[in-house]
Amino acid sequence: MAPYLDGTSLPQALPANEVKSLLLSKSVSSTQPSSVRDYEPGRTQFEDHTSYEYEDLRPNFPDIHWDELKDIPYSDKGLLGHPKFENLLADATDIFDYTPKIGTEIHGVNLGKLTDAQKNDLARLIATRGVVFFRDQKDLDINTHRELGSYFGTLHKHATTSTPRQEGLEDVHVIYADEKSKDMRATFTPTFLWHSDVTYEVQPLSYTSLKVLTGPPRGGGGDTLWSSQYAAYDALSPAMQKYLESLTALHSAVMQAEGSRAMGRPVRREPVTTEHPLVRTHPVTGWKALFYNPGFVTKIVGIPKTESDYICRYLAEVVATTQEAHARFSWNKGDVAFWDNRACNHTATYGFAPHRRHAVRVACQGERPVFDPAGRSQEEEFNEKWGLPPVNKDGASQSNYND
């Protein structure tokens, strides 16, 4: 190697402008952050997990049996929240929405140290916005996480998914994929992956929180998307809204249980199939929401199968492709998402290999879904409140697409 190429010396005959360029390049390189200096398109730095601090929270599939779930009382804490969320936001340093329909991020609030009044406001905000995000929640360890979740209701124990290796945490759901995990994206359609958690239960989940313990670095993938069921309802024509309000659908756990057994994993509670209204009314907001789940709805009751299949495909498209109904969150370690399973669907994303992604989820059961014809739509209330024009839902009207 020529001496000057490793920076040790420069030949006397090198033109002055090239000498200046080499010295400047060396100076800039030494002061640039590694994210710039080591940038490779589509590639992010891999973290070594030889010594892993969350071994006790890695996945386990205990072979135990639970009885079927019984009806439990439920009172929504969101009804006690301040309409302006004043208690929760007293500590906030910033708050902003992701879109008008769904998603809010709050800075400066410590989820591990909330008062009851702040928790009530949090529930009300989640019910209103669908999903709320908090960054870098160091004080929310697994016990504090469970304590916070149980404030909102009885914690749900999942019949098939993994729980932590640490005993006594059977009401915690572990999400885990590492550098050795098989890529499963070919086994599901992207639309099918949209879901609301365990809607086959008689009393499905309400407030749910997920904390990422370890995950891909920024730009490494592993994002989660949420889709507003309020906005999905508002995307329908008035005639379709009225039609769906008259229908119910079957939500089934059978496929989930069969898949677990096929992989040699235990099913801790026998699978159920439950009938729920296709449109439900939220007890806190009073808004009507589509209650359709591409992952668990198998049939619509009382109509021919051909009709049911077409409606299911149509509603899956509404959930998965109505962009203004979506919020997408890129995680960092310690980040928390709190969402309302009654008001939104969500989906994971693939393509983050070879990074490890490890998260823990805590969720409480809510009320039995009901439809109240006196409920309003989110869009109706917003339009009236802010004087917005009604949305045009006439697809036969003149259009001019010039993008």
Side-chain angles (χ1 to χ4, degrees):
M1 177 185 290
Y4 65 88
L5 291 182
D6 63 5
T8 58
S9 61
L10 294 169
Q12 295 299 319
L14 200 64
N17 64 328
E18 291 190 30
V19 173
K20 183 177 180 181
S21 177
L22 281 168
L23 291 173
L24 181 61
S25 175
K26 180 177 176 59
S27 173
V28 170
S29 177
S30 64
T31 59
Q32 283 182 321
S34 60
S35 59
V36 175
R37 187 174 62 251
D38 302 330
Y39 174 69
E40 285 285 343
R43 187 69 174 172
T44 48
Q45 187 173 359
F46 176 74
E47 183 178 357
D48 180 20
H49 295 292
T50 303
S51 178
Y52 189 52
E53 63 179 308
Y54 298 113
E55 285 292 338
D56 59 335
L57 298 179
R58 287 181 68 177
N60 178 44
F61 293 89
D63 191 2
I64 55 181
H65 185 269
W66 299 324
D67 293 334
E68 64 177 298
L69 294 176
K70 306 295 184 183
D71 286 354
I72 56 173
Y74 178 76
S75 178
D76 201 306
K77 298 294 186 180
L79 294 168
L80 305 175
H82 192 282
K84 295 286 188 179
F85 321 108
E86 288 183 354
N87 303 293
L88 178 66
L89 298 183
D91 298 332
T93 58
D94 194 15
I95 179 171
F96 52 91
D97 292 342
Y98 278 37
T99 75
K101 297 288 188 179
I102 183 174
T104 298
E105 184 168 324
I106 302 179
H107 297 174
V109 171
N110 188 336
L111 292 177
K113 297 182 178 180
L114 297 180
T115 66
D116 286 356
Q118 288 177 312
K119 293 173 187 175
N120 296 337
D121 283 7
L122 175 59
R124 190 179 187 95
L125 181 62
I126 298 166
T128 303
R129 295 297 303 156
V131 58
V132 181
F133 307 111
F134 300 86
R135 300 286 185 180
D136 196 23
Q137 295 293 309
K138 292 184 175 68
D139 291 329
L140 197 74
D141 62 22
I142 193 61
N143 293 319
T144 309
H145 194 169
R146 292 174 68 232
E147 182 181 349
L148 176 59
S150 63
Y151 177 81
F152 301 110
T154 301
L155 295 185
H156 178 262
K157 295 181 180 181
H158 202 292
T160 60
T161 57
S162 59
T163 64
R165 291 178 177 179
Q166 180 181 334
E167 293 185 359
L169 301 179
E170 288 79 16
D171 49 19
V172 176
H173 167 45
V174 177
I175 297 167
Y176 184 87
D178 64 19
E179 50 279 11
K180 298 179 182 178
S181 296
K182 182 180 179 181
D183 191 321
M184 301 294 291
R185 78 183 84 182
T187 59
F188 303 99
T189 64
T191 301
F192 176 82
L193 286 174
W194 284 97
H195 67 284
S196 176
D197 297 318
V198 301
T199 55
Y200 45 73
E201 304 288 21
V202 174
Q203 291 178 258
L205 306 184
S206 57
Y207 302 111
T208 302
S209 52
L210 181 76
K211 179 177 181 178
V212 165
L213 306 175
T214 300
R218 182 177 59 182
D223 297 356
T224 304
L225 289 82
W226 282 263
S227 178
S228 170
Q229 297 266 54
Y230 296 141
Y233 174 84
D234 284 330
L236 308 173
S237 69
M240 181 59 74
Q241 289 173 343
K242 200 71 176 174
Y243 174 54
L244 296 183
E245 288 171 4
S246 70
L247 298 174
T248 59
L250 298 181
H251 298 240
S252 178
V254 171
M255 184 181 66
Q256 197 172 66
E258 289 177 345
S260 292
R261 286 180 170 133
M263 296 182 71
R265 295 173 176 171
V267 175
R268 297 182 287 272
R269 189 169 50 243
E270 288 303 308
V272 296
T273 298
T274 307
E275 186 174 340
H276 290 310
L278 256 179
V279 177
R280 68 185 296 176
T281 307
H282 199 287
V284 176
T285 62
W287 294 338
K288 297 175 182 178
L290 181 67
F291 194 51
Y292 177 76
N293 184 335
F296 295 125
V297 170
T298 56
K299 298 174 183 177
I300 297 175
V301 179
I303 61 175
K305 186 177 186 306
T306 301
E307 188 174 337
S308 172
D309 289 349
Y310 271 103
I311 292 173
C312 285
R313 286 196 292 272
Y314 165 61
L315 295 181
E317 182 176 358
V318 170
V319 167
T321 67
T322 304
Q323 290 90 345
E324 65 270 23
H326 293 174
R328 181 172 185 143
F329 187 59
S330 294
W331 300 87
N332 296 311
K333 289 182 182 180
D335 292 348
V336 173
F338 237 119
W339 70 93
D340 191 331
N341 271 289
R342 301 165 295 184
C344 53
N345 284 296
H346 60 279
T347 182
T349 58
Y350 288 106
F352 54 86
H355 301 292
R356 178 174 297 188
R357 188 173 186 272
H358 186 189
V360 286
R361 190 189 78 193
V362 172
C364 69
Q365 292 177 249
E367 76 282 0
R368 185 190 291 258
V370 296
F371 170 69
D372 181 358
R376 304 188 70 189
S377 85
Q378 181 190 59
E379 197 165 81
E380 285 176 347
E381 187 164 313
F382 284 0
N383 289 350
E384 182 179 300
K385 185 175 182 178
W386 295 308
L388 302 175
V391 175
N392 176 33
K393 295 185 177 181
D394 181 7
S397 58
Q398 180 64 48
S399 63
N400 186 20
Y401 184 70
N402 281 320
D403 198 0

